[in-house]
Amino acid sequence: MFQILLIILFVLAICVAGGVVFVIFKRKKFRKNLITSSLAKPRSGFVDPIKKLFLGESKAIKEILPHLEEVLLQADVGVKMTATLIDALQAETSIKSAPEAYEFLKKKILDSLTILQKTSVGNPKPNAIFFVGINGTGKTTTIGKLAAAFKSGGKKVLVVGADTFRAAAGDQLKVWAERSGVDFVGGEPEVDPASVVYNGIAAAIARGMDVVMVDTAGRLHTKTSLMEELKKMHRVATKELGHAPDDIWLVLDATTGQNGLNQAKVFGQALPLTGLILTKYDGTAKGGIILSITSELGLPVKYLGEGEGIGDLKPFEPHEFVEELFK
Ligand SMILES: Nc1nc2c(ncn2[C@@H]2O[C@H](COP(=O)(O)OP(=O)(O)O)[C@@H](O)[C@H]2O)c(=O)[nH]1
Ligand SMILES: [Mg+2]
């Protein structure tokens, strides 16, 4: 009797273990599909035409270059970066065949994306991050996604809804905060956003938070007064923290193309930007924008937004990204 029980238990254990392995395998596969499909659009408009030029019917490199220029410009790589890439290809005399040129180009693209990340300055907690950018780029959504990611990494997170310009903006962030189970500090519509920043950072310090993320209004970057408001928020935070916020990330919508460069210049004049978040990368066939902004601004991309869901944000890792894109 006892032996039969043992056998039943043994069989049950094997079934459970098999089930667990199956679920893990499926999830991994699902995640892989997700990554692949989120880069499908940029791949189709950016890398596929490059592949067709270099890896299609064999042609002399000289013949390919004018077409390459066209493809790169169409994919939003930008005039400057396109010229840099073409010049580099022309200068490399050791390249004899189109496939070699393709590999060289891929390597150059990887190099241009590998921008040094700022080293940690060892500030005391909380780690304060400002999110700036024009309306609709995805600031609030990105903070929501990051709050969930940081929280699941075991961090204590507080988000500050300092966008008091739009009545619904605070509520939108509050919903994200509730969904991720993180703290939220907001303010009434139209109150001075700097006062909300003050309250938010005070709360983050008092509650021993690891990370405090500040959502700001989608200021029209051409309106100087709104830029002044941003600077004031930064000053308030600096005074309260005893040092400048650790990061100021500019959130750019990948689908707006070269206009993102102008936005970056104006925001960069107001505040010392430390990184970029490129959202809606899933929605652009002109994926080359990532090259022009990183090379022209000299700022690292920190995250890529690849959808509207809570998990659709990936830390940007140049090598992995280029391999995935050029697959
Ligand atoms: N497809 C896609 N949509 C996004 C992404 N990030 C944000 N959005 C959408 O963009 C819209 C504006 O986002 P929101 O966070 O309100 O922008 P904000 O004005 O900068 O705060 C919303 O509909 C988001 O769901 C992304 O990475 N991919
Ligand atoms: Mg917002």
Side-chain angles (χ1 to χ4, degrees):
M1 185 65 198
F2 182 67
Q3 274 171 336
I4 292 175
L5 206 68
L6 261 183
I7 290 169
I8 291 174
L9 273 176
F10 182 69
V11 170
L12 265 176
I14 287 188
C15 287
V16 170
V20 169
V21 169
F22 179 73
V23 168
I24 291 173
F25 177 74
K26 283 294 258 191
R27 282 182 70 135
K28 275 209 165 145
K29 212 169 156 201
F30 174 69
R31 180 73 199 138
K32 186 118 192 79
N33 286 341
L34 209 69
I35 294 171
T36 313
S37 63
S38 60
L39 288 186
K41 245 185 156 174
R43 195 183 292 123
S44 71
F46 175 30
V47 175
D48 288 351
I50 296 179
K51 269 192 190 158
K52 212 167 144 195
L53 279 179
F54 287 98
L55 308 180
E57 58 189 81
S58 83
K59 275 194 223 107
I61 296 168
K62 245 196 195 149
E63 253 178 80
I64 292 176
L65 289 182
H67 299 290
L68 177 65
E69 184 173 13
E70 205 175 302
V71 164
L72 293 176
L73 288 174
Q74 274 202 351
D76 247 341
V77 171
V79 177
K80 209 167 148 191
M81 189 60 194
T82 297
T84 306
L85 290 172
I86 301 236
D87 288 351
L89 253 177
Q90 273 174 326
E92 192 59 54
T93 49
S94 66
I95 295 175
K96 298 282 178 269
S97 69
E100 274 172 27
Y102 173 81
E103 287 305 323
F104 178 81
L105 191 67
K106 188 175 151 189
K107 161 113 188 18
K108 279 279 154 205
I109 287 175
L110 173 62
D111 289 348
S112 76
L113 288 173
T114 314
I115 289 181
L116 282 186
Q117 309 272 325
K118 186 188 73 161
T119 49
S120 165
V121 284
N123 285 333
K125 283 196 308 188
N127 194 299
I129 312 168
F130 269 61
F131 291 74
V132 300
I134 67 162
N135 236 343
T137 54
K139 294 176 292 300
T140 308
T141 307
T142 302
I143 294 176
K145 292 171 179 176
L146 274 176
F150 289 154
K151 172 90 195 280
S152 70
K155 298 230 185 285
K156 286 175 79 178
V157 182
L158 185 144
V159 295
V160 185
D163 179 358
T164 54
F165 194 66
R166 276 196 317 127
D171 291 342
Q172 189 193 350
L173 187 63
K174 199 170 169 197
V175 169
W176 276 105
E178 277 163 9
R179 202 185 296 173
S180 325
V182 305
D183 286 14
F184 168 82
V185 170
E188 291 304 310
E190 304 205 9
V191 304
D192 181 356
S195 72
V196 184
V197 170
Y198 182 87
N199 293 339
I201 293 200
I205 294 171
R207 296 179 205 171
M209 292 287 147
D210 297 303
V211 185
V212 52
M213 290 188 280
V214 179
D215 191 12
T216 63
R219 26 226 64 242
L220 295 169
H221 58 289
T222 44
K223 286 202 178 163
T224 324
S225 62
L226 296 176
M227 286 296 158
E228 290 308 317
E229 203 175 86
L230 262 188
K231 287 191 206 168
K232 184 175 169 195
M233 289 155 79
H234 188 258
R235 277 198 304 277
V236 165
T238 303
K239 202 163 163 204
E240 226 175 338
L241 290 161
H243 57 81
D246 303 79
D247 277 301
I248 303 162
W249 289 341
L250 176 70
V251 182
L252 289 177
D253 175 340
T255 63
T256 56
Q258 295 296 307
N259 193 268
L261 276 176
N262 298 332
Q263 293 164 29
K265 278 175 194 151
V266 181
F267 279 95
Q269 277 160 12
L271 291 177
L273 303 175
T274 61
L276 300 166
I277 292 176
L278 200 56
T279 59
K280 310 186 195 179
Y281 203 70
D282 52 303
T284 180
K286 300 187 164 209
I289 183 70
I290 196 166
L291 293 183
S292 51
I293 53 170
T294 44
S295 62
E296 291 206 23
L297 304 173
L299 285 171
V301 174
K302 310 295 282 193
Y303 292 92
L304 268 194
E306 297 182 340
E308 295 186 88
I310 201 159
D312 296 333
L313 187 78
K314 268 207 309 176
F316 182 73
E317 205 284 299
H319 195 265
E320 192 187 304
F321 170 78
V322 170
E323 282 308 320
E324 187 60 39
L325 196 65
F326 277 77
K327 231 167 52 174

